[in-house]
Amino acid sequence: MQPFFAQRFAKVEPSFIREILKVAVNPEVISFAGGLPNPDFFPNEELAAASARVLQHRGNGALQYSATEGFAPLREYIAERYFKQHGMRVSPDNILITNGSQQALDLLGKVLVNEGDNLIIEEPGYLGAIQALSVYQPNFQGVALNDDGLDLNELDALLAEPDHARLLYGVTNFQNPTGLSYSRENRQAVAERLIKHNVLMIEDNPYGELRFEGEHLLPIAKLAPDNVVLLGSFSKVVVPSFRLGWMLVPDWLRQKLTIAKQASDLHTNGFVQQVLHGYLQENSLDAHIDRIRTVYGRQKIAMEQALLKHCPGIDFTRPEGGMFLWLKLPQHIDAMALFNLAIKENVAFVPGQPFYVRPDILNTARLSYAGADEATIEEGISRLGRVIRQVL
Amino acid sequence: MQPFFAQRFAKVEPSFIREILKVAVNPEVISFAGGLPNPDFFPNEELAAASARVLQHRGNGALQYSATEGFAPLREYIAERYFKQHGMRVSPDNILITNGSQQALDLLGKVLVNEGDNLIIEEPGYLGAIQALSVYQPNFQGVALNDDGLDLNELDALLAEPDHARLLYGVTNFQNPTGLSYSRENRQAVAERLIKHNVLMIEDNPYGELRFEGEHLLPIAKLAPDNVVLLGSFSKVVVPSFRLGWMLVPDWLRQKLTIAKQASDLHTNGFVQQVLHGYLQENSLDAHIDRIRTVYGRQKIAMEQALLKHCPGIDFTRPEGGMFLWLKLPQHIDAMALFNLAIKENVAFVPGQPFYVRPDILNTARLSYAGADEATIEEGISRLGRVIRQVL
């Protein structure tokens, strides 16, 4: 058999991070490379109780084929939570359940992206989004992500072009990879530009609930509801393996996205939707999230302090939530070369280069503080400091 | 906001069957329209026991992010079953777990189909496949499905063209919608043509285990392993809501499909993969399937007898397994008009027209015998007989 592939698949490469993670599995290695939530917070027993209840009381209904849009009570729960948290009046009809937010990205690419279309993305940007959207062969246009959000000058320059992008992707809270967030003013400025230039934003928000400092800010979806698809996920706050995420979509997109979902896999696992909904009925999600963000907040402080102590002079972001911070190394350091040395010292991180669509920036790195306790963070960063001193 | 969509989505329509099913939900209606497995056979208690065991013993491991390819022991189980059933020596490495076989179709379209590529499909063909693959805008070429399998004259004519299709889609056992199967000789003839003409077949096999007459036949994948992606599913034999299917893929396709799966949703729900595997360890799948196919076999006979009694002179297929049979009505009867009359008599079926990519055949209909007991089948077919007599 002579192999053949569609053109769109010539460009798609294996995930760089997955390759990195393979190197970091050695138990001797202290890994800040992963993006995994801390499994100590998975509510095993509560989920076991919810599973038992669903199979006992709803049995056949939870096991049959079900609606493409998702389990209605779970969609209602999500809509109500938007109202409680942000005063957003959202119909459950506009919530579509997906297999994690990764699938939302695939469905949006399917429905919205033609080959060669301009598509604006934060730089550095989330690798999973770059990978999912690359399948549909857009022309990515990077806009720098500054400490307060999107660089408006760069954004305005791109939107001034006659064939400017109709689609913009960004993570507005505690971004992956940088940990940066859009300020209140930046959100307002972005919303105005979306409306003025007829642009749809994919506002990805997997980490927004994990704020350990500062105050919650309104999603851009509240400011420009017709111009934003807001993505959410239970992976970082309850459990990743269930693959439960959602999209809040404007009316004009709803039917096409539902058809795309149906063509892609008919519907998301109905059993775990009911189990998760049962869990949410019997337990306080807020109390659960409080425990997670308290610990992540402590671990972030531990990492900041260790960086100041062991890596003096190295610049890094100060996230107010989420799982990641971002190192800016001296200009002449290639983080990929640093990674190879670091692995020999049994510490791992993710070099920053693959997060850029203009890949000429080599001196950055992503570190996760979510998966290691404070003592391990201190030890791991001291190893990293030794490696950096070797290179300098 | 001014709506915009990718070109590929101009052509994709809501599923015709889902629209039909909405009309058929009235509890007064005896519906032969659905394609749902009989929920009486869902192993609720055994799945509850398996869920409890997984959360008790494997807790965190079952709830964290996991491998894109799927849960290794489940892939091993599937590989061993191919050996036991068909003597196929299959590596678990070549089994990729998907969200039902519907997702396998999406991934294959992503990786293999360029816009305008010829793609051969049985006529009538499975609607879910037409919908999933349509997203990638192939040029569908129908080949008639005869009582013994693909029409080889039509197939040869298409394969004689210089730019002939590289991809062929078919359901070799108890096809949806017709209930027809490829004979041993037809499988051999198709396999020879795949190899000779360098064509990849998507051999979809969701119903193969549900044989209630005759003997199991080898999949074409055994005859031409490098030229076939064989799809399987637990939806029809254990439980649909888990959305667990798989692909058996040739080596040359493995990496690209894995990347496509990762870009689409990272991985399939790891928790239910472990629950299903636990269920399969503690229970006999063969014994479970025996119960299902015994009942489906009785129901099929009841439907055949009722058709002979109430609809004399109407031609229909005689499936040896699966869930569906196919009516060929007199030439001048439009099954869509018949459907509208039938609903008034409280009986539903699926008109055949949407299963054709050359939509000029109006006098066919799909009936499922899986979801109704023998008395209900007798009553429903007697209603259908009255409607047909009205029209004749």
Side-chain angles (χ1 to χ4, degrees), chain B residues 71-388:
Chain B
F71 182 54
L74 181 62
R75 297 161 72 204
E76 285 158 21
Y77 176 94
I78 295 165
E80 282 163 21
R81 196 165 171 87
Y82 278 126
F83 183 72
K84 275 193 285 189
Q85 293 196 315
H86 300 299
M88 291 166 72
R89 295 189 182 278
V90 163
S91 164
D93 291 346
N94 293 64
I95 308 277
L96 303 182
I97 303 291
T98 55
N99 303 334
S101 11
Q102 184 74 18
Q103 190 187 36
L105 296 169
D106 178 58
L107 299 176
L108 288 161
K110 250 185 194 135
V111 169
L112 295 170
V113 179
N114 287 313
E115 184 182 347
D117 282 356
N118 290 323
L119 194 162
I120 296 172
I121 187 163
E122 301 157 334
E123 204 159 38
Y126 171 51
L127 263 190
I130 295 173
Q131 194 191 24
L133 296 166
S134 286
V135 169
Y136 303 98
Q137 300 178 276
N139 176 44
F140 285 113
Q141 299 178 311
V143 165
L145 184 63
N146 299 330
D147 285 349
D148 68 340
L150 277 184
D151 188 302
L152 297 175
N153 289 331
E154 288 189 22
L155 181 61
D156 284 338
L158 289 175
L159 293 178
E161 299 291 322
D163 65 337
H164 70 72
R166 298 292 306 274
L167 204 55
L168 184 163
Y169 173 83
V171 182
T172 44
N173 293 307
F174 329 127
Q175 191 234 19
N176 182 351
T178 62
L180 295 170
S181 300
Y182 294 32
S183 69
R184 192 187 314 270
E185 296 71 25
N186 193 265
R187 286 165 202 245
Q188 189 64 51
V190 170
E192 285 163 12
R193 283 157 178 82
L194 297 177
I195 293 167
K196 178 174 173 198
H197 296 282
N198 225 343
V199 171
L200 181 73
M201 176 167 189
I202 303 173
E203 183 178 15
D204 199 354
N205 189 28
Y207 313 108
E209 301 252 23
L210 300 174
R211 178 179 282 281
F212 36 71
E213 291 170 18
E215 54 176 333
H216 282 295
L217 298 175
L218 290 181
I220 297 175
K222 178 151 193 200
L223 308 173
D226 216 31
N227 293 65
V228 177
V229 176
L230 179 57
L231 310 189
S233 171
F234 291 106
S235 293
K236 305 301 189 294
V237 294
V238 186
V239 55
S241 80
F242 279 20
R243 313 302 304 118
L244 291 177
W246 69 87
M247 304 188 256
L248 169 63
V249 306
D251 285 334
W252 64 270
L253 253 173
R254 210 167 73 187
Q255 191 196 30
K256 294 280 190 193
L257 284 170
T258 305
I259 296 170
K261 169 70 179 164
Q262 193 185 352
S264 295
D265 62 4
L266 300 183
H267 63 83
T268 290
N269 188 315
F271 170 60
V272 296
Q273 291 186 68
Q274 296 208 19
V275 171
L276 185 78
H277 180 257
Y279 163 81
L280 295 169
Q281 294 298 104
E282 297 290 326
N283 298 274
S284 163
L285 182 57
D286 289 329
H288 180 66
I289 291 174
D290 275 347
R291 287 191 291 273
I292 301 175
R293 61 189 186 180
T294 301
V295 170
Y296 285 7
R298 279 208 301 264
Q299 292 171 183
K300 187 215 68 159
I301 290 171
M303 188 171 275
E304 284 181 349
Q305 290 175 341
L307 284 167
L308 290 170
K309 179 171 158 197
H310 299 293
C311 309
I314 303 295
D315 198 17
F316 57 90
T317 59
R318 311 291 173 107
E320 297 188 324
M323 298 165 62
F324 303 108
L325 61 71
W326 187 246
L327 293 193
K328 289 174 213 156
L329 300 157
Q331 194 69 41
H332 64 282
I333 292 189
D334 177 345
M336 196 63 221
L338 191 72
F339 173 82
N340 290 327
L341 293 173
I343 278 293
K344 289 180 193 147
E345 292 282 338
N346 286 331
V347 60
F349 58 86
V350 179
Q353 189 184 358
F355 297 94
Y356 292 86
V357 293
R358 298 170 294 193
D360 50 349
I361 296 169
L362 305 179
N363 62 326
T364 58
R366 188 190 80 175
L367 275 67
S368 168
Y369 44 79
D373 62 28
E374 290 153 271
T376 308
I377 287 173
E378 160 69 19
E379 170 61 23
I381 298 295
S382 84
R383 294 180 192 174
L384 182 62
R386 278 200 299 278
V387 180
I388 293 177

